[in-house]
Amino acid sequence: MEGRVPTPKEELTVKRLENLIPALQGQRYEISDTHVKGMRVRVGDAAVESGDRRRKGKAAHISFVLLARFKLGASPTRRTLGTFPELSLTDARQKAVEWKALIRKGVDPADEIARVRRDEETARQNRRTLSEILDQYEREKLCNLRSGDATRRALDGKSGLLSTFLDREPSTITRAEIRAKVRSRAAESPISANRQLAYANAFFNWCLREEIVQENPARFIAKPSQEKSRDRYHSTDELREIWVATEKLGYPFGPWLRLVILLPMRRKELAAIPISEIELGDEDATESIWTLPAGRTKNASALKVPIPPLARSIILEAINDKGRPAKSPFVFSTTEKTPISGFAKAKRRLDSLIDRQRIESANEAAVDPVPMPHWTVHDLRTTFTTLACAKLNIDAGVADRILNHVASATTSKLTRTYNQFDLFERRREALYAWENFIRAEVIGPKSEKVVPIRQASA
């Protein structure tokens, strides 16, 4: 029996291997190789029945094994090197010698084999182009994100950070190349460069986890621009200029921007309003309700938005506008199947109209024109919070809930809890007061009386 009868040793040859006879039924036997200590051939009980006539009846299952202590302190065990004749005798001896060298270094050959396989898989992955890897990234990651399309454009769009590397293998892209692209992008748009760097960093971290690359080339690259929280808000005079310009802008961006002023939600939430989310009511209705689902909000918080009369009329006019595809499910659309996009281009058109208005006014007054200070669409939300709280005494927590913030007015536990409530009636009252303010101070003559909401008693 094995373990009691010494294993015979022989100077193995190819001819000897080819002539080995099968073991008895249900058994197997081994022969030690005199060339490499610990290497053996293990012979099974199966016989060759067809194929090579010279080997008919000879052993069909012959394996090369190595008997060794593969881990420090472990008992000797056998591991298969390969089978004969797929693995030649010469190659089996060479492999046994290599395994023994690894064991002397304290390395388990199984671990080394796994490492080599990983390296080979990484090499195979890296033979794919960056464009192919980005396709995989979109399928497995970006498609599950609300901002997935925008992220993909930031990576490989026309002005994407990685757009010049699309035909390259990801592992060949260097940190110096990424840094140079970030600096170049920052010269045009510092904040956009920050965003693109963040997206690239996330993408290469994913590649690292997927073992597509060995290191993240976007790691340790500093943001090209320090970002500050924006505190820009508009005066009523500036709001009036913007409102007048939006009337010249036309559908879809004109009514959309006026709605942003009246209902200070996030720009994409307003831009992608499906008609189905709005309870418009019948012809005699004066207000509506917009149910914004959690899946379309930045903070995954659903909200019922009261829509006062002026905002409702803007929505109805937009729905009935000749420029809107009749079958589109969206209030604002030019393609029928998708909501509006191209906000930057629309903002440039609006700025141009405002500049033209200011030049005309300056010429009438015989003074030099002064451009409106830089602003973004997001600043209209800040404008609402600032003016509504200061001029209309709207509670900061109510204003936060109108903006669908969790609690930006304060970080106290009390207010965070307070802002989790819907506050529908108080938001409705606030939005009515804000709309009246816009009618009086922005749209109509400034002589109209504006009645602020009284400060709630403590």
Side-chain angles (χ1 to χ4, degrees):
M1 293 177 63
E2 187 174 317
R4 295 181 180 180
V5 179
T7 302
K9 296 183 179 180
E10 293 185 24
E11 183 178 356
L12 296 172
T13 63
V14 174
K15 186 175 181 179
R16 175 72 173 113
L17 295 176
E18 290 176 342
N19 289 306
L20 288 173
I21 60 174
L24 296 177
Q25 184 70 31
Q27 297 184 25
R28 61 188 179 188
Y29 66 89
E30 293 181 352
I31 303 174
S32 293
D33 182 34
T34 57
H35 279 238
V36 179
K37 185 178 180 180
M39 192 184 100
R40 303 179 174 193
V41 290
R42 174 180 286 177
V43 184
D45 61 359
V48 176
E49 297 180 358
S50 61
D52 190 345
R53 293 181 180 179
R54 294 174 300 175
R55 295 202 60 218
K56 190 173 183 179
K58 306 297 181 181
H61 293 165
I62 303 172
S63 302
F64 296 107
V65 298
L66 179 66
L67 178 65
R69 299 178 187 271
F70 290 93
K71 293 183 182 294
L72 185 64
S75 299
T77 56
R78 294 170 176 80
R79 288 190 187 173
T80 302
L81 293 162
T83 58
F84 178 82
E86 289 78 16
L87 181 67
S88 70
L89 176 60
T90 300
D91 289 344
R93 284 170 173 160
Q94 180 62 33
K95 190 173 182 178
V97 169
E98 292 172 355
W99 278 22
K100 293 177 71 174
L102 289 172
I103 293 169
R104 286 194 295 271
K105 295 177 181 178
V107 178
D108 188 328
D111 295 338
E112 179 64 13
I113 290 170
R115 184 194 67 77
V116 170
R117 285 176 178 171
R118 286 196 302 270
D119 290 348
E120 289 175 348
E121 176 61 19
T122 298
R124 186 190 69 79
Q125 291 274 11
N126 285 345
R127 284 193 288 272
R128 292 190 295 162
T129 65
L130 177 66
S131 181
E132 293 172 320
I133 301 298
L134 283 169
D135 288 342
Q136 179 185 347
Y137 183 55
E138 182 171 10
R139 289 193 304 271
E140 298 181 8
K141 183 72 175 179
L142 297 184
C143 67
N144 299 316
L145 303 177
R146 285 194 294 268
S147 59
D149 291 343
T151 301
R152 179 68 190 262
R153 288 194 299 272
L155 291 171
D156 69 343
K158 184 177 180 181
S159 300
L161 191 67
L162 307 180
S163 58
T164 57
F165 307 126
L166 296 180
D167 294 330
R168 297 261 299 273
E169 296 176 6
S171 62
T172 67
I173 302 171
T174 67
R175 183 170 288 112
E177 289 176 313
I178 298 293
R179 185 182 292 110
K181 290 288 293 182
V182 169
R183 287 175 178 170
S184 175
R185 180 62 179 156
E188 300 176 1
S189 179
I191 303 303
S192 176
N194 284 355
R195 299 290 183 273
Q196 289 185 335
L197 176 59
Y199 294 145
N201 195 35
F203 165 66
F204 282 113
N205 277 336
W206 175 84
C207 289
L208 199 60
R209 291 191 296 272
E210 294 293 318
E211 298 183 348
I212 295 171
V213 297
Q214 295 296 321
E215 64 176 13
N216 178 354
R219 191 182 180 191
F220 301 128
I221 298 178
K223 286 184 178 181
S225 175
Q226 291 296 322
E227 297 186 40
K228 298 179 181 179
S229 58
R230 291 186 59 83
D231 55 6
R232 169 82 162 96
Y233 68 92
H234 297 285
S235 65
T236 52
D237 287 337
E238 286 182 332
L239 273 181
R240 188 178 302 109
E241 291 183 82
I242 294 171
W243 190 279
V244 171
T246 62
E247 292 176 336
K248 299 176 182 177
L249 199 58
Y251 180 89
F253 291 102
W256 169 70
L257 280 162
R258 291 195 290 280
L259 204 59
V260 173
I261 293 174
L262 292 167
L263 300 178
M265 307 299 290
R266 294 179 178 90
R267 72 172 192 182
K268 288 187 178 179
E269 293 170 352
L270 283 165
I273 301 180
I275 299 174
S276 59
E277 289 181 1
I278 306 172
E279 298 174 30
L280 289 169
D282 56 29
E283 294 181 358
D284 298 327
T286 57
E287 66 176 46
S288 300
I289 296 177
W290 169 27
T291 303
L292 179 61
R296 285 216 306 115
T297 65
K298 182 179 180 181
N299 61 4
S301 178
L303 191 69
K304 280 187 175 294
V305 181
I307 303 177
L310 180 57
R312 180 178 183 273
S313 67
I314 291 174
I315 291 173
L316 286 173
E317 289 175 6
I319 292 173
N320 295 317
D321 194 281
K322 293 181 179 179
R324 175 183 166 275
K327 295 182 180 180
S328 177
F330 301 102
V331 175
F332 302 108
S333 176
T334 56
T335 63
E336 184 177 318
K337 295 183 179 180
T338 60
I340 56 172
S341 57
F343 304 105
K345 184 178 180 181
K347 174 62 166 50
R348 286 194 295 270
R349 288 174 55 206
L350 183 69
D351 288 337
S352 178
L353 288 169
I354 293 171
D355 286 342
R356 194 178 307 162
Q357 290 171 181
R358 288 198 165 206
I359 291 172
E360 291 174 358
S361 298
N363 290 339
E364 290 177 5
V367 296
D368 292 332
V370 178
M372 181 179 288
H374 173 71
W375 65 283
T376 68
V377 173
H378 180 82
D379 295 334
L380 295 172
R381 284 162 59 82
T382 308
T383 300
F384 162 77
T385 304
T386 304
L387 297 183
C389 293
K391 294 183 177 293
L392 305 177
N393 292 331
I394 291 175
D395 182 87
V398 175
D400 261 351
R401 200 67 187 102
I402 288 173
L403 298 176
N404 206 16
H405 287 167
V406 174
S408 65
T410 178
T411 57
S412 73
K413 182 178 180 180
L414 177 62
T415 302
R416 285 198 302 271
T417 303
Y418 171 73
N419 279 341
Q420 289 176 4
F421 295 100
D422 190 62
L423 301 173
F424 181 83
E425 287 303 324
R426 295 192 65 184
R427 288 188 291 111
R428 178 178 178 275
E429 180 185 12
L431 285 173
Y432 264 80
W434 175 245
E435 183 168 292
N436 289 336
F437 175 83
I438 294 297
R439 285 180 183 274
E441 296 292 327
V442 175
I443 304 173
K446 296 177 67 175
S447 60
E448 288 188 31
K449 185 177 180 181
V450 178
V451 181
I453 294 176
R454 291 181 180 178
Q455 185 66 43
S457 58

